């Protein structure tokens, strides 16, 4: 079964005290203690980011590791990637991520992993990258459209409620025909795809939402809060 879990924001790097989305990702593997590999390419393999990954996942029932293209694994890259159960892509500069992945052929290896049932997940840049297009700040402070891997159809905009310029910029790009219609996700929301179909939308925050967005519409999607409902 091919799965992608695209986070608009949240997870161990943004919500270290709220494990709901990361636990959800672990639960989607068929393995009791899945091998989960963090790919921090978009951050330039920031040490602090990698440390935060291990700080969380070493406390869970899984086998965490990470993949650096600056210090590649001793074994063949494809062999290493295909030995994992979950690939978790971090945030940062999506344009640089795509350039490095393509230079190393990692984009093709990850597509093979996806086809073999290895769960793909990621936040921000690690969400945008799976779609045909995304809204990114890879070029500087301003937001621009970016062509991505195209595993999933349409476009993607993360941090929809978390950054003031995301929503208006996405809508402007749509109206100008610079980007395809697609899906937007608030911080704390994950879009869970099976194949290329949106299977479910889950959240770590009660009020966080996702939206299907086009030139003349913005439809709120049914979102399931992963925590306990408030009493009262």
């Amino acid at each position: 079964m091919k799965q992608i879990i695209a986070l608009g924001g949240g997870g161990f790097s943004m919500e270290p005290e709220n494990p709901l989305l990361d636990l959800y990702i672990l639960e989607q593997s068929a393995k009791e203690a899945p091998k989960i590999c963090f790919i921090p390419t978009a951050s330039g393999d920031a040490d602090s980011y990698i440390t935060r990954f291990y700080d969380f996942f070493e406390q869970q029932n899984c086998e965490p590791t990470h993949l650096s293209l600056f210090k590649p694994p001793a074994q063949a890259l494809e062999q290493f990637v295909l030995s994992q159960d979950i690939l978790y892509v971090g945030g940062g500069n999506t344009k640089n991520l795509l350039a490095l992945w393509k230079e190393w052929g990692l984009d093709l290896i990850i597509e093979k992993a996806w086809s073999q049932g290895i769960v793909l997940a990621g936040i921000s840049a690690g969400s945008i990258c799976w779609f045909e297009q995304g809204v990114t700040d890879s070029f500087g402070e301003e937001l621009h459209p970016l062509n991505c891997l195209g595993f999933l159809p349409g476009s993607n905009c993360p941090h929809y409620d978390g950054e003031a310029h995301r929503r208006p910029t996405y809508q402007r790009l749509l109206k100008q025909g610079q980007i395809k219609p697609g899906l937007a996700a608030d911080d704390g929301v994950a879009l869970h795809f099976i194949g290329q179909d949106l299977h479910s939308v889950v959240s770590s925050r009660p009020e966080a939402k996702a939206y299907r967005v086009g030139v003349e519409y913005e439809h709120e999607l049914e979102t399931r809060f992963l925590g306990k409902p408030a009493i009262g």
Side-chain angles (χ1 to χ4, degrees), residues 20-21 188-190 201-208 223-227:
L20 293 174
L21 290 180
V189 170
V201 181
V202 297
S203 73
S204 61
R205 307 175 186 179
E207 304 304 320
T223 303
R224 176 167 64 92
F225 175 51
L226 294 170

Side-chain angles (χ1 to χ4, degrees), residues 4 6 89-90 94 97-98 101 110 120-134 146-152 156:
I4 294 178
V89 181
T94 317
L97 174 152
L98 293 170
W101 282 12
I110 290 177
L120 308 184
I123 174 175
S124 193
S127 172
I128 293 168
C129 66
W130 313 121
F131 292 80
E132 290 180 278
Q133 296 175 302
L146 179 70
N147 292 329
C148 300
L149 294 173
F151 295 2
L152 298 174
N156 177 233

Side-chain angles (χ1 to χ4, degrees), residues 70-219:
F70 298 90
K71 299 177 182 178
Q75 67 190 114
L77 186 60
E78 182 169 334
Q79 182 184 359
F80 176 81
V81 171
L82 296 182
S83 71
Q84 306 301 319
D85 300 307
I86 302 170
L87 303 177
Y88 193 133
V89 181
N93 190 302
T94 317
K95 184 175 176 62
N96 289 348
L97 174 152
L98 293 170
L100 277 169
W101 282 12
K102 290 176 181 178
E103 181 66 26
W104 283 82
L106 184 58
D107 55 335
L108 300 178
I109 296 172
I110 290 177
E111 187 172 17
K112 187 174 182 179
W114 180 45
S115 70
Q116 292 185 4
I118 295 171
V119 178
L120 308 184
I123 174 175
S124 193
S127 172
I128 293 168
C129 66
W130 313 121
F131 292 80
E132 290 180 278
Q133 296 175 302
V135 179
T136 180
D137 57 4
S138 296
F139 300 89
E141 293 185 6
E142 294 186 3
L143 297 168
H144 295 274
L146 179 70
N147 292 329
C148 300
L149 294 173
F151 295 2
L152 298 174
S155 64
N156 177 233
C157 182
H159 308 302
Y160 206 49
D161 69 335
E163 297 177 6
H165 298 298
R166 288 277 175 173
R167 189 180 231 124
T169 299
Y170 192 27
Q171 293 175 349
R172 175 177 59 77
L173 293 172
L174 284 162
K175 289 176 181 177
Q176 292 174 345
Q178 294 189 54
I179 200 167
K180 296 182 179 184
L183 297 166
D186 289 346
D187 287 341
V189 170
L191 306 167
H192 184 179
F193 291 82
I194 294 180
Q196 291 187 318
D197 298 322
L198 184 61
H199 170 67
S200 58
V201 181
V202 297
S203 73
S204 61
R205 307 175 186 179
E207 304 304 320
K209 300 294 180 183
Y211 305 86
R212 194 173 295 279
V213 189
V215 176
E216 298 293 341
Y217 61 87
E218 179 185 275
H219 301 318

